[in-house]
Amino acid sequence: MVEATTSTLDGPHGPSLGARVAARQLSQRRAAYILLAPLLIFFGVSVLYPVFETIRLSFFEIKGLAPPKPVGLGNYVKLWNDENFLRALRVTFYWSFSATFFSVAIGWALAMACALKPKETMIFRVLIFAAYGVSEAVVGFIWLGIYRPDYGLLNGILGGLGLEHLQQAWLGNPATALTAVIVAYVWTQVGLPLMTCFASIQSIPRSYFEAAYIDGAKPISMMRHIVMPLSLPGVRVAIFINLLQSLKAFDLIYMLTGGGPVRTTETVGFFMFRESMLNFKLGYGAASTVVLLVAVLIVSTPLIAQRTRAVK
């Protein structure tokens, strides 16, 4: 049908309308490729090449300056039997899901509270979100002061409340170290869920609230049946970003505990650092990185697919 229509527009002294449209579309595609080329080159050099190089190194045994020795899947078999790596894997999942859950839950609750008085709580939201932008190294110094066993803020508050029996070395005790680091990490991550959830709540049409008010709905009912379900897109975005960030967390753990005590706060990212940079086992460390990469892909792919379907 298109060909028939186009053929009727052919002229004896020039290209047809269909030919000119096709040429214009081809030109636009070329322009799009040219504009995207720098970004694709940068992505290939900065992301794809390190990923493929890491995967390649994971099949070699590399110790110090000795020539690389191919070992096939040997590093992965060794990881599977390495109790330290398996512990790091468990810590990583516990850390990631705990930190994500509390960060998003607190951020979501704060967003709903701030939505009641948007103008009055603007400074509060800015301060909370500012913590998200602070370097984790700086956050580490702050929380080192809070957790100090001798004159730290936390033990000082407990002493002031007459709870001296609860005072302890929070980062030096294997029973409390991981929880203490998660609390510090959550403190830095609440800002993003707060902002994404707040944006979702602000995008809810006011007509919904007006209709609910006319029908006699109470504020709690509006919160439960309007605000909470319609703010879920922001919650999903926050979960996605926080989960990915927590899987590759390293700086704060390094600052607060260095993976200790007795490796109770050692995640896969820190395990990779220890094996690659401290024990000079680059191939072994690369294999652990590949495992972490697979975990990130498993977590992120369903969420990205869901968002893609939502866009369509």
Short mmCIF file of all heavy atoms in Angstrom, two decimals, residues 53-54 56-66 68 75 272-289:
data_model
loop_
_atom_site.label_atom_id
_atom_site.label_comp_id
_atom_site.label_asym_id
_atom_site.label_seq_id
_atom_site.Cartn_x
_atom_site.Cartn_y
_atom_site.Cartn_z
N GLU A 53 38.51 -7.66 31.08
CA GLU A 53 39.86 -7.91 31.58
C GLU A 53 39.81 -8.62 32.93
O GLU A 53 40.62 -9.52 33.21
CB GLU A 53 40.63 -6.59 31.70
CG GLU A 53 42.07 -6.72 32.12
CD GLU A 53 42.92 -7.47 31.11
OE1 GLU A 53 42.44 -7.73 30.00
OE2 GLU A 53 44.07 -7.84 31.46
N THR A 54 38.85 -8.22 33.78
CA THR A 54 38.70 -8.90 35.07
C THR A 54 38.29 -10.36 34.88
O THR A 54 38.83 -11.26 35.55
CB THR A 54 37.63 -8.17 35.91
OG1 THR A 54 38.04 -6.82 36.12
CG2 THR A 54 37.45 -8.85 37.25
N ARG A 56 38.92 -12.18 32.29
CA ARG A 56 40.09 -12.90 31.74
C ARG A 56 41.10 -13.23 32.84
O ARG A 56 41.61 -14.35 32.92
CB ARG A 56 40.76 -12.03 30.67
CG ARG A 56 41.86 -12.74 29.90
CD ARG A 56 42.56 -11.78 28.96
NE ARG A 56 43.37 -10.79 29.67
CZ ARG A 56 44.61 -11.02 30.10
NH1 ARG A 56 45.18 -12.20 29.90
NH2 ARG A 56 45.27 -10.09 30.76
N LEU A 57 41.36 -12.27 33.72
CA LEU A 57 42.32 -12.50 34.80
C LEU A 57 41.85 -13.58 35.76
O LEU A 57 42.68 -14.25 36.40
CB LEU A 57 42.56 -11.20 35.57
CG LEU A 57 43.33 -10.10 34.84
CD1 LEU A 57 43.40 -8.85 35.70
CD2 LEU A 57 44.74 -10.58 34.48
N SER A 58 40.52 -13.74 35.87
CA SER A 58 40.01 -14.72 36.83
C SER A 58 40.36 -16.16 36.45
O SER A 58 40.23 -17.06 37.28
CB SER A 58 38.48 -14.58 36.96
OG SER A 58 37.83 -15.00 35.77
N PHE A 59 40.81 -16.38 35.23
CA PHE A 59 41.19 -17.72 34.80
C PHE A 59 42.71 -17.95 34.89
O PHE A 59 43.23 -18.91 34.34
CB PHE A 59 40.72 -17.97 33.36
CG PHE A 59 39.24 -17.92 33.20
CD1 PHE A 59 38.62 -16.86 32.55
CD2 PHE A 59 38.43 -18.93 33.74
CE1 PHE A 59 37.24 -16.80 32.43
CE2 PHE A 59 37.06 -18.88 33.62
CZ PHE A 59 36.46 -17.82 32.96
N PHE A 60 43.40 -17.04 35.58
CA PHE A 60 44.85 -17.16 35.73
C PHE A 60 45.21 -17.14 37.21
O PHE A 60 44.52 -16.53 38.03
CB PHE A 60 45.58 -16.02 35.03
CG PHE A 60 45.53 -16.10 33.53
CD1 PHE A 60 44.46 -15.56 32.82
CD2 PHE A 60 46.56 -16.71 32.82
CE1 PHE A 60 44.41 -15.64 31.44
CE2 PHE A 60 46.52 -16.79 31.43
CZ PHE A 60 45.45 -16.26 30.74
N GLU A 61 46.31 -17.80 37.51
CA GLU A 61 46.91 -17.68 38.84
C GLU A 61 48.03 -16.67 38.73
O GLU A 61 49.02 -16.90 38.03
CB GLU A 61 47.45 -19.03 39.31
CG GLU A 61 48.06 -18.97 40.71
CD GLU A 61 48.64 -20.31 41.13
OE1 GLU A 61 49.80 -20.59 40.75
OE2 GLU A 61 47.93 -21.07 41.81
N ILE A 62 47.87 -15.55 39.44
CA ILE A 62 48.84 -14.46 39.37
C ILE A 62 49.31 -14.16 40.78
O ILE A 62 48.53 -13.72 41.62
CB ILE A 62 48.21 -13.20 38.73
CG1 ILE A 62 47.58 -13.54 37.38
CG2 ILE A 62 49.26 -12.11 38.55
CD1 ILE A 62 46.80 -12.40 36.77
N LYS A 63 50.56 -14.38 41.03
CA LYS A 63 51.13 -14.12 42.35
C LYS A 63 52.29 -13.16 42.20
O LYS A 63 53.34 -13.52 41.65
CB LYS A 63 51.60 -15.42 43.01
CG LYS A 63 50.46 -16.37 43.39
CD LYS A 63 50.99 -17.58 44.12
CE LYS A 63 49.84 -18.50 44.55
NZ LYS A 63 50.31 -19.72 45.24
N GLY A 64 52.10 -11.95 42.67
CA GLY A 64 53.16 -10.95 42.61
C GLY A 64 53.59 -10.68 41.18
O GLY A 64 52.77 -10.47 40.29
N LEU A 65 54.92 -10.73 40.94
CA LEU A 65 55.48 -10.43 39.62
C LEU A 65 55.71 -11.69 38.80
O LEU A 65 56.27 -11.62 37.71
CB LEU A 65 56.81 -9.67 39.79
CG LEU A 65 56.71 -8.31 40.50
CD1 LEU A 65 58.08 -7.69 40.65
CD2 LEU A 65 55.77 -7.37 39.76
N ALA A 66 55.31 -12.84 39.30
CA ALA A 66 55.47 -14.10 38.56
C ALA A 66 54.58 -14.10 37.31
O ALA A 66 53.51 -13.48 37.31
CB ALA A 66 55.11 -15.27 39.46
N PRO A 68 51.75 -14.96 34.69
CA PRO A 68 50.42 -15.56 34.91
C PRO A 68 50.40 -17.03 34.48
O PRO A 68 50.98 -17.40 33.45
CB PRO A 68 49.51 -14.71 34.03
CG PRO A 68 50.24 -13.43 33.82
CD PRO A 68 51.69 -13.78 33.82
N ASN A 75 40.35 -21.02 40.08
CA ASN A 75 40.08 -19.99 41.08
C ASN A 75 38.65 -20.07 41.60
O ASN A 75 38.40 -19.84 42.79
CB ASN A 75 40.32 -18.61 40.47
CG ASN A 75 41.80 -18.29 40.32
OD1 ASN A 75 42.63 -18.74 41.12
ND2 ASN A 75 42.14 -17.55 39.27
N MET A 272 37.85 -9.15 47.92
CA MET A 272 38.59 -8.94 46.68
C MET A 272 39.79 -8.02 46.91
O MET A 272 40.89 -8.27 46.44
CB MET A 272 37.65 -8.34 45.62
CG MET A 272 38.29 -8.02 44.28
SD MET A 272 39.06 -6.40 44.22
CE MET A 272 37.61 -5.35 44.44
N PHE A 273 39.58 -6.94 47.68
CA PHE A 273 40.67 -6.02 47.99
C PHE A 273 41.78 -6.72 48.77
O PHE A 273 42.97 -6.55 48.46
CB PHE A 273 40.12 -4.84 48.80
CG PHE A 273 41.17 -3.96 49.39
CD1 PHE A 273 41.86 -3.06 48.59
CD2 PHE A 273 41.47 -4.03 50.75
CE1 PHE A 273 42.84 -2.24 49.14
CE2 PHE A 273 42.44 -3.22 51.30
CZ PHE A 273 43.13 -2.33 50.50
N ARG A 274 41.41 -7.53 49.74
CA ARG A 274 42.41 -8.22 50.56
C ARG A 274 43.24 -9.18 49.70
O ARG A 274 44.48 -9.18 49.78
CB ARG A 274 41.72 -8.99 51.69
CG ARG A 274 42.70 -9.67 52.64
CD ARG A 274 41.95 -10.64 53.56
NE ARG A 274 40.97 -9.97 54.40
CZ ARG A 274 41.27 -9.36 55.55
NH1 ARG A 274 42.52 -9.36 55.98
NH2 ARG A 274 40.32 -8.78 56.25
N GLU A 275 42.56 -9.97 48.87
CA GLU A 275 43.28 -10.97 48.08
C GLU A 275 44.13 -10.32 46.97
O GLU A 275 45.24 -10.76 46.71
CB GLU A 275 42.29 -11.96 47.46
CG GLU A 275 41.53 -12.80 48.47
CD GLU A 275 42.44 -13.66 49.31
OE1 GLU A 275 43.48 -14.13 48.80
OE2 GLU A 275 42.13 -13.86 50.51
N SER A 276 43.56 -9.29 46.34
CA SER A 276 44.26 -8.68 45.20
C SER A 276 45.37 -7.74 45.63
O SER A 276 46.48 -7.81 45.10
CB SER A 276 43.26 -7.92 44.31
OG SER A 276 42.27 -8.78 43.82
N MET A 277 45.09 -6.86 46.59
CA MET A 277 46.01 -5.79 46.93
C MET A 277 46.91 -6.11 48.12
O MET A 277 48.02 -5.59 48.20
CB MET A 277 45.21 -4.50 47.22
CG MET A 277 44.34 -4.06 46.06
SD MET A 277 45.32 -3.78 44.56
CE MET A 277 44.03 -3.53 43.36
N LEU A 278 46.44 -6.93 49.04
CA LEU A 278 47.25 -7.23 50.22
C LEU A 278 47.98 -8.56 50.08
O LEU A 278 49.13 -8.70 50.49
CB LEU A 278 46.35 -7.25 51.47
CG LEU A 278 45.59 -5.94 51.76
CD1 LEU A 278 44.77 -6.08 53.04
CD2 LEU A 278 46.54 -4.76 51.85
N ASN A 279 47.29 -9.56 49.51
CA ASN A 279 47.93 -10.87 49.32
C ASN A 279 48.48 -11.06 47.92
O ASN A 279 49.05 -12.11 47.62
CB ASN A 279 46.91 -11.98 49.63
CG ASN A 279 46.43 -11.92 51.07
OD1 ASN A 279 47.14 -11.47 51.95
ND2 ASN A 279 45.20 -12.37 51.31
N PHE A 280 48.31 -10.08 47.04
CA PHE A 280 48.85 -10.08 45.66
C PHE A 280 48.38 -11.29 44.86
O PHE A 280 49.11 -11.79 44.01
CB PHE A 280 50.39 -10.02 45.69
CG PHE A 280 50.91 -8.81 46.41
CD1 PHE A 280 51.46 -8.93 47.68
CD2 PHE A 280 50.83 -7.56 45.82
CE1 PHE A 280 51.93 -7.81 48.35
CE2 PHE A 280 51.30 -6.43 46.49
CZ PHE A 280 51.85 -6.55 47.76
N LYS A 281 47.17 -11.76 45.09
CA LYS A 281 46.58 -12.84 44.29
C LYS A 281 45.54 -12.21 43.35
O LYS A 281 44.33 -12.26 43.59
CB LYS A 281 45.92 -13.87 45.20
CG LYS A 281 46.89 -14.54 46.16
CD LYS A 281 46.15 -15.51 47.07
CE LYS A 281 47.09 -16.18 48.05
NZ LYS A 281 46.37 -17.09 48.98
N LEU A 282 46.04 -11.63 42.27
CA LEU A 282 45.17 -10.87 41.40
C LEU A 282 44.12 -11.75 40.72
O LEU A 282 42.95 -11.37 40.59
CB LEU A 282 46.00 -10.14 40.34
CG LEU A 282 46.92 -9.04 40.85
CD1 LEU A 282 47.68 -8.40 39.69
CD2 LEU A 282 46.13 -7.98 41.59
N GLY A 283 44.51 -12.91 40.27
CA GLY A 283 43.56 -13.81 39.61
C GLY A 283 42.47 -14.28 40.57
O GLY A 283 41.28 -14.32 40.21
N TYR A 284 42.87 -14.61 41.78
CA TYR A 284 41.91 -15.07 42.79
C TYR A 284 40.96 -13.94 43.17
O TYR A 284 39.74 -14.14 43.27
CB TYR A 284 42.66 -15.57 44.00
CG TYR A 284 41.83 -16.36 44.96
CD1 TYR A 284 41.00 -17.39 44.52
CD2 TYR A 284 41.86 -16.09 46.32
CE1 TYR A 284 40.23 -18.12 45.40
CE2 TYR A 284 41.11 -16.82 47.22
CZ TYR A 284 40.29 -17.83 46.77
OH TYR A 284 39.53 -18.55 47.64
N GLY A 285 41.51 -12.75 43.34
CA GLY A 285 40.66 -11.60 43.65
C GLY A 285 39.72 -11.27 42.50
O GLY A 285 38.57 -10.90 42.72
N ALA A 286 40.22 -11.42 41.26
CA ALA A 286 39.36 -11.16 40.09
C ALA A 286 38.19 -12.14 40.04
O ALA A 286 37.07 -11.77 39.68
CB ALA A 286 40.17 -11.25 38.81
N ALA A 287 38.46 -13.39 40.40
CA ALA A 287 37.37 -14.39 40.40
C ALA A 287 36.28 -14.00 41.40
O ALA A 287 35.09 -14.14 41.10
CB ALA A 287 37.94 -15.77 40.74
N SER A 288 36.68 -13.51 42.56
CA SER A 288 35.67 -13.08 43.54
C SER A 288 34.89 -11.88 43.02
O SER A 288 33.69 -11.74 43.27
CB SER A 288 36.33 -12.75 44.88
OG SER A 288 37.17 -11.61 44.76
N THR A 289 35.57 -11.02 42.26
CA THR A 289 34.88 -9.87 41.67
C THR A 289 33.84 -10.32 40.65
O THR A 289 32.75 -9.75 40.56
CB THR A 289 35.89 -8.93 40.98
OG1 THR A 289 36.88 -8.54 41.94
CG2 THR A 289 35.21 -7.70 40.44
#
